[in-house]
Each structure stands twice: as C-alpha cells, then as structure tokens.
Amino acid sequence: MAEEDLTRQHIRPSGHGDPAAPPGTRHPPLPQAGHTRTGLRRLARARQRRRWAVEGIAVVACLVALVSYLTAGDPEPGGETAGDVPADAGRPSGFPGLEGRDLDAGLVSPGLRPRQRPPSPSPTPPKPSTSAPPVRAVLAASMAEAPGEVDLTTVGRRDWVHWGLRGAESTVRKRGGSGEIRDEGGTGRRGGWDDNQESFSWRDGNPVASASGSPHGVYRCGAGSGFTLAVAADGQARTVRLYGGVWMARGRLDARLSVGGPSRTLRIEDRHTSRSTEFTIRFQAPKGSRLVLTWTVEQAFSDDCGNVGVQAVALR
C-alpha cells in the first residue's frame, strides 16, 4: 500500500534508482506514473502469459530433443546412423534386421499377398536304380539220342571243343571262340578211339581248320574214373551240349553250379556194348561263376574196360 500511495503521489522511495545508493539497497523499478491498479493487474497477467508461452516453448523443445535422442539409432538413408555410427553396430551376427520378426512368416516373394506363403516345391522323384538285379541261378538238364552227324560250327556258335582227332591227347577248339569251355582233367588213364558210331565236322577249328565225318573220341576205364569239364558263366542264359557215351558200363553225369543252387544228375548204361547220347544243359549264373560237369563210370560191367567217353562239347 505504501508503494501504491507513492504511485499516487508520484514519489519514489529514497535510494530507488539512485546510483549513489549503497549496493544492495536497489529495488525493482516502480510503475511509471499514471498506472492504475487495474493497469498493473493487466500488466501482471500479460507477463504471466508470456512466462507460460516461454515455458510451453521450452517443453516442446525438450520433447523434440527427447524424440530426436530416442530415434537417433534408426539408420538414415545413407545407411548410417546419426553421429556416423554404422547401421549394423550392436547387432548380433547373422542375417541383419531379423531380430524380433516372425521367421515362420517366410521371406517376401513377389506377387504374394501379405502373410501368404509361397507354394511348397514339388518333391524330387527318386532316381531309378541303375544297378542290375541279381542273377538267379538256373539249371536244367535233359538227354536224348545223339544225332548221326554233328556240325560243331553250327551248334557251338560261342565255343566248342573236340577230342581225339590225332590221339588221346589231341584237342581241337573253335577258332576265335569265347574260351568258356575248359577241360579240367579227371580220374583214370585217358585213351583214344576212332570207331564212334556218330561223326563230327567243323569249318572253324584250331589247330585243325576243318574236318568232316570224324568218328574220334576219348575214354577212361574203371569204376570212379571219368572226366571233369567246366563252362564259365556270364550272367546270361546259355545252352551246353555234351556228346558222350558208355561201353559196358553205367555212366553218371552230375551238373552243378559253383555258386550253389540247383543241381542235376543223369545216367545212361549199356551192359553189353556201347551207347551214345546228347546231354543238353541249360543254365544261368552270375558272371565269374561256372557250370561244372562230372562224367564218371558209376559201375563197370566188364573187367576188361567198362568206360565212359566224350567226343565233343558245344556252347551257344
């Protein structure tokens, strides 16, 4: 009220605005003369509004600064963050930018609607096996009366062997044959003869190129004696023809495969004279195995020389 009275009287307090007044005795300037109480109130309200405006601007500035600080880690268009910090700093190794994402949603594919999964690829069909199926062992045998004349060139298209043309140890083979027929010896002394009732011919022999009407063959005497022959298998079905006979004996032919499986036994006999036959053996076995033929005297009916004999073997 004192200041208000001074205002009315246009009087300033002592020391106010006096430069010579002692320090610390200064007072804020008083309203100039002519200000009424209402004017002072208006002036105070105007000052209050200015303070609120300044405070509001300060609050907005603080919020802007806070938002800028919080978003400072987001990468800028140049691929770096504010302050030249690399965009991938602080991220774990692996695919960048996948943290917190639903990996089950799949990667984005062009032309797909949101959350639509790309079609599953068709399963690759299994490749057919290129390995050959295992060869099943097959063996069959039969016998029939031998023909009067045998052309080895015709019946032995793969290979053939003839015995006895020039003695007991003489052998003629097919020239250029497969070599699959093998003479593996036998039991007993081998002898030769030249009065067989069947004859043989060929046009592709070695060392004798050709022959016609040969009645030759070889034999072995006594029970248990005989011949062992083998034919190599190649996995294909093959036919073997063995031309043999007996003289005053019973002969036994055993056919088997070296890999096991089926086997066959055939017999012929003549107690008083000779008999010839054509054995036919059909077989199939894995490559590297063999057909084994054992032709032996099962019983001799003569003390002189009951025997079994062979003339030729042909393979086709």
Side-chain angles (χ1 to χ4, degrees):
M1 293 296 294
E3 288 184 0
E4 190 174 350
D5 293 336
L6 290 175
T7 302
R8 291 178 181 175
Q9 298 175 8
H10 306 285
I11 299 174
R12 294 182 182 180
S14 65
H16 181 78
D18 186 359
T25 61
R26 286 180 175 271
H27 296 279
L30 293 176
Q32 297 179 1
H35 285 189
T36 65
R37 189 171 186 175
T38 301
L40 292 175
R41 288 179 179 176
R42 290 177 180 173
L43 179 62
R45 284 196 294 270
R47 290 176 179 175
Q48 183 67 33
R49 284 195 294 271
R50 285 197 297 271
R51 283 197 300 270
W52 288 347
V54 172
E55 290 175 356
I57 293 173
V59 171
V60 172
C62 290
L63 291 176
V64 171
L66 179 61
V67 171
S68 300
Y69 175 77
L70 293 177
T71 60
D74 292 341
E76 295 182 352
E80 296 183 354
T81 60
D84 296 331
V85 179
D88 58 352
R91 287 179 177 173
S93 60
F95 293 100
L98 296 183
E99 297 84 7
R101 294 187 183 180
D102 183 8
L103 298 181
D104 292 335
L107 298 179
V108 176
S109 298
L112 296 181
R113 294 188 298 274
R115 304 295 295 175
Q116 181 180 358
R117 297 178 182 272
S120 301
S122 301
T124 303
K127 295 182 179 180
S129 176
T130 57
S131 59
V135 177
R136 185 170 61 94
V138 176
L139 178 61
S142 62
M143 61 182 183
E145 184 177 353
E149 296 182 0
V150 179
D151 183 353
L152 293 176
T153 300
T154 300
V155 297
R157 294 180 180 177
R158 286 184 63 84
D159 201 14
W160 60 262
V161 179
H162 181 271
W163 287 272
L165 180 65
R166 297 178 178 175
E169 302 301 326
S170 172
T171 302
V172 179
R173 301 191 64 98
K174 178 181 180 69
R175 182 178 64 250
S178 64
E180 293 168 317
I181 300 173
R182 302 169 187 174
D183 183 351
E184 298 195 341
T187 303
R189 184 177 64 86
R190 178 183 292 188
W193 87 95
D194 58 2
D195 59 352
N196 192 56
Q197 57 265 42
E198 290 81 32
S199 63
F200 296 84
S201 61
W202 60 84
R203 298 172 301 283
D204 56 349
N206 182 42
V208 180
S210 62
S212 180
S214 168
H216 301 83
V218 293
Y219 64 90
R220 282 194 166 107
C221 298
S225 62
F227 302 86
T228 300
L229 307 171
V231 181
D234 62 355
Q236 302 298 317
R238 301 298 180 196
T239 300
V240 176
R241 287 183 171 83
L242 168 62
Y243 300 93
V246 296
W247 187 81
M248 300 183 70
R250 179 169 65 240
R252 170 177 170 168
L253 177 69
D254 292 305
R256 64 180 179 84
L257 298 172
S258 63
V259 293
S263 61
R264 298 290 183 269
T265 297
L266 299 173
R267 293 179 174 86
I268 63 170
E269 70 172 60
D270 194 308
R271 292 174 175 267
H272 307 289
T273 182
S274 64
R275 179 184 175 186
S276 298
T277 192
E278 178 187 63
F279 296 104
T280 301
I281 302 96
R282 293 179 173 86
F283 78 101
Q284 184 174 8
K287 185 176 182 179
S289 60
R290 301 178 304 156
L291 167 68
V292 180
L293 303 175
T294 304
W295 176 227
T296 58
V297 178
E298 189 172 52
Q299 184 176 356
F301 300 116
S302 168
D303 295 336
D304 183 17
C305 186
N307 65 69
V308 294
V310 293
Q311 294 84 50
V313 176
L315 172 67
R316 64 179 302 172

